[in-house]
Structures are given as C-alpha cells and as structure tokens.
C-alpha cells in the first residue's frame, strides 16, 4: 500500500474536546476486500494529523480521566485483530492492548464498537463478544450473551453440516454498546437483538422488531434509544422497548444527544427527535450519508463519509478533509 495518504472515507468519529475530533477512515485506494490497513485522523483546531494502523479501525472513542487513570486517551478499535490502540497525550508510542483470545496474532473477527461507560472501556462484536478494560486490564464479559459457535456444537457431537446450521441460527451479532452506568449497559445487533447487562450477567430484553439495529444511545433523561433499518427507532429501559413512529424511509446508523434532544443519523441525512416526532434537519448540505454522531463540550459532531459538520446550537460549520477536496 502506498505510504502517502490519499482520499479517505470516514467510518466513525467522536469529539475529543472543543474543536478537536478523532476519526477512523479507510483509504479510497484500498481494494474492497482489503482490511489489513487502517487510518485514524485527528482534526486539531484546523490542522489534520493522521496515523496508519495494521488493521481497519471499526470504532473510535475517547477515554476520559478516571480515578485510576488520570490521563485522557484516544481509543481505536481494530476490527479483526483483537487489538485496541490507546493514544495517550505526549506519548511517543501507541499503547496497544490485546484482547483475551487474540494473543500471538490469533486475532478476533468482527469487533464493532468501543465505548467508555463509567470508568471502564467496553468492546462488543459478532458472536456475542463483549470485553471490558478496567484498571488497565482487559477481560471477557460475555456471560449470558455469547452464543454457541460451530466448535461448541461439534463438541456436543453434531456432524459438521448440522453444526453449521445450528450455529447460524444462534449467532448473536452485536453492532453497538452503550450504558447509563456499569450496572445498566445495553448491547444491540442484528435481527432486533437487545441485551442488558446488570453488572453481573447479560439478559435478553424483549424487542419489538426483528430489523437490524446499528446503534444504541443511553440518554441523560434515563431512556435508552436504539435505531436501525428501515426507519426503526426504539426507546426503552430494563422493562422493555417500544417502537417510535418515525414516518422516515431511511436506514439509521448513528445516535447521540445534544442540548437535551436526541439526534439520529441515516443514509439520507440527519434527524432530530422532538415531542411531536422525528424531523429531518436542513444542514444546507443536501442529502448525505451520516456514519457517526457525537457531542461534547457544547458541540454536536456530524460525520459524513467525506466531510464533517459541527453544530454549536446556533450555527453549522462544515469542515473538509483536504485530501478529499
């Protein structure tokens, strides 16, 4: 792969602090089936900084200071290596954490989301995989969520053809994770799956849909929101979830809150949930695919595939990656 950065497609993004943002990207020049290269970028008050990684980065977040770790870190989750990169301010090298099971280069496929919840980092992925980093150490946290896989069924004595069918019917492929606290965490995924972690084990929550859910957001009002395709938006808690009538023909991939309202990002643009329903937001950019949303320090970050928008509650500001212009 050429060592010179060329145009990119944004995959995820988050607010580090006011006017500083972190993104995961994919080079447009990469073959469609190539994942052994990832790009992360920082936008720092008008300046772009990028760094390559050895695997595509599926998710980024910021780890805010905690009682046990006083420094802030930028976090990059590699999709298939089982490695989570921690970028500490001022450090000369990346602090790469290896998830349990990924040792010696074994890797872990299809890791989808990383979030800080409480004082810990959480990672989820396909096959019901969940990991937690607490006090600097990663551990498996899939009690009640991890599904039987092919190997489990074959150990039970099933022939390989029957084991393949059984495994395909029980896979819990999770796309996103978020939490109100470390005793109330939600994980959502394909076929409408919703699981809740109570601090000890994962319990499946009844879902009103079998549509794929791509994102989840635990809002400050105590409600948890999940969204997916086609136009599915759910709201609920440990008692259950209900579908909100959106009237929107779009697939949703991002959720966040800003100034007390929930924002939803879809393949056709940006929406805001108001008391009378879900409304499209005119950002003066026309139709665009929203891949990520985040908010912090008085700013709403909207990540499109080629550029980003920042909203301060009054004005919209578009920022272009110079390699995409």
């Amino acid at each position: 792969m050429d060592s010179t950065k060329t145009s990119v497609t944004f995959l995820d993004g988050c607010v580090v602090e006011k006017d500083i943002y972190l993104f995961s990207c994919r080079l447009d020049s990469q073959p469609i089936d190539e994942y052994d290269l990832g790009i992360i970028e920082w936008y720092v008050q008008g300046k772009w900084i990028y760094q390559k990684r050895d695997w595509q980065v599926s998710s980024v977040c910021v780890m805010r200071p905690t009682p046990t770790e006083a420094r802030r870190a930028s976090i990059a989750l590699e999709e298939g290596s089982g490695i989570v990169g921690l970028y500490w301010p001022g450090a000369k090298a990346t602090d790469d954490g290896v998830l349990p099971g990924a040792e010696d280069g074994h890797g872990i496929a299809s890791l989808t989301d990383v979030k800080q919840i409480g004082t810990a980092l959480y990672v989820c992925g396909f096959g019901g995989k969940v990991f937690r980093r607490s006090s600097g150490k990663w551990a498996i946290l899939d009690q009640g969520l991890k599904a039987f896989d092919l190997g489990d069924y074959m150990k039970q004595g099933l022939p390989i053809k029957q084991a393949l069918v059984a495994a395909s019917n029980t896979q819990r492929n999770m796309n996103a994770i978020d939490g109100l606290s470390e005793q109330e965490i939600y994980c959502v995924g394909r076929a409408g799956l919703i699981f809740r972690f109570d601090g000890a084990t994962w319990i499946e929550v009844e879902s009103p849909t079998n549509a794929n859910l791509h994102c989840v957001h635990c809002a400050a009002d105590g409600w948890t929101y999940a969204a997916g395709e086609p136009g599915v938006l759910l709201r609920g808690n440990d008692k259950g979830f209900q579908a909100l009538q959106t009237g929107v023909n779009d697939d949703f991939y991002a959720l966040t809150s800003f100034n007390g309202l929930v924002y939803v990002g879809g393949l056709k643009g940006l929406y805001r949930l108001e008391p009378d329903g879900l409304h499209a937001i005119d950002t003066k950019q026309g139709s665009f695919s929203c891949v990520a949303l985040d908010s912090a320090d008085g700013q709403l970050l909207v990540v499109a595939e080629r550029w980003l928008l920042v909203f301060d509650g009054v004005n919209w500001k578009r920022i272009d990656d110079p390699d995409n212009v």
Side-chain angles (χ1 to χ4, degrees), residues 288-315:
F288 65 93
S289 179
C290 178
V291 300
L293 293 171
D294 192 29
S295 64
D297 292 344
Q299 294 187 322
L300 169 67
L301 176 67
V302 180
V303 184
E305 291 183 326
R306 313 292 294 178
W307 40 263
L308 59 125
L309 293 172
V310 178
F311 182 54
D312 63 5
V314 178
N315 298 309

Side-chain angles (χ1 to χ4, degrees), residues 8 36 81 129 133 137 151 194 214-215 222 226 239 242 247 265 275 277 297 307 313 315 322:
V8 298
D36 58 350
S81 67
K129 298 181 182 70
R133 182 186 183 275
K137 296 182 179 180
I194 304 173
H214 297 296
C215 48
K239 303 296 192 298
Q242 63 175 352
D297 292 344
W307 40 263
N315 298 309

Side-chain angles (χ1 to χ4, degrees), residues 197-258:
F197 183 71
D198 62 5
T201 191
W202 290 95
I203 301 168
E204 187 167 5
V205 179
E206 185 175 352
S207 175
T209 183
N210 60 2
N212 293 333
L213 298 174
H214 297 296
C215 48
V216 62
H217 170 61
C218 295
D221 62 6
W223 289 107
T224 293
Y225 297 83
E229 55 189 61
V232 170
L233 178 61
L234 311 180
R235 180 175 62 195
N237 52 30
D238 60 326
K239 303 296 192 298
F241 281 72
Q242 63 175 352
L244 303 179
Q245 298 300 316
T246 67
V248 174
N249 180 23
D250 199 354
D251 293 342
F252 300 141
Y253 282 84
L255 283 164
T256 197
S257 293
F258 181 67

Side-chain angles (χ1 to χ4, degrees), residues 62-282:
V62 175
M63 185 172 71
R64 310 290 176 184
T66 70
T68 58
E69 291 180 300
R71 296 179 297 167
R72 181 187 70 199
S74 296
I75 310 299
L77 172 65
E78 292 188 355
E79 186 172 343
S81 67
I83 293 176
V84 184
L86 282 75
Y87 293 83
W88 303 100
K92 294 182 180 179
T94 309
D95 181 7
D96 281 347
V98 181
L99 298 177
E103 299 88 351
D104 301 319
H106 291 157
I108 299 175
S110 302
L111 298 173
T112 54
D113 197 19
V114 60
K115 290 276 177 60
Q116 182 182 24
I117 303 170
T119 62
L121 286 176
Y122 290 80
V123 165
C124 73
F126 282 16
K129 298 181 182 70
V130 178
F131 303 89
R132 177 174 61 194
R133 182 186 183 275
S134 181
S135 300
K137 296 182 179 180
W138 285 100
I140 297 171
L141 196 75
D142 59 7
Q143 302 93 324
L145 178 55
K146 184 181 183 299
F148 268 25
D149 58 23
L150 176 63
D152 295 322
Y153 284 111
M154 292 188 69
K155 288 177 183 177
Q156 291 185 343
L158 286 181
I160 187 169
K161 287 186 178 180
Q162 294 182 30
L164 282 168
V165 173
S168 66
N169 291 332
T170 58
Q171 283 304 294
R172 292 167 175 169
N173 293 335
M174 313 310 291
N175 289 323
I177 191 167
D178 199 9
L180 293 163
S181 71
E182 293 191 61
Q183 288 71 48
E184 189 170 1
I185 298 174
Y186 293 87
C187 202
V188 304
R190 293 190 173 183
L193 286 174
I194 304 173
F195 276 78
R196 176 182 179 271
F197 183 71
D198 62 5
T201 191
W202 290 95
I203 301 168
E204 187 167 5
V205 179
E206 185 175 352
S207 175
T209 183
N210 60 2
N212 293 333
L213 298 174
H214 297 296
C215 48
V216 62
H217 170 61
C218 295
D221 62 6
W223 289 107
T224 293
Y225 297 83
E229 55 189 61
V232 170
L233 178 61
L234 311 180
R235 180 175 62 195
N237 52 30
D238 60 326
K239 303 296 192 298
F241 281 72
Q242 63 175 352
L244 303 179
Q245 298 300 316
T246 67
V248 174
N249 180 23
D250 199 354
D251 293 342
F252 300 141
Y253 282 84
L255 283 164
T256 197
S257 293
F258 181 67
N259 287 349
L261 294 173
V262 172
Y263 285 75
V264 185
L267 294 181
K268 299 178 182 178
L270 181 67
Y271 308 86
R272 184 169 57 221
L273 183 62
E274 300 180 1
D276 62 343
L278 191 68
H279 296 272
I281 305 299
D282 183 8

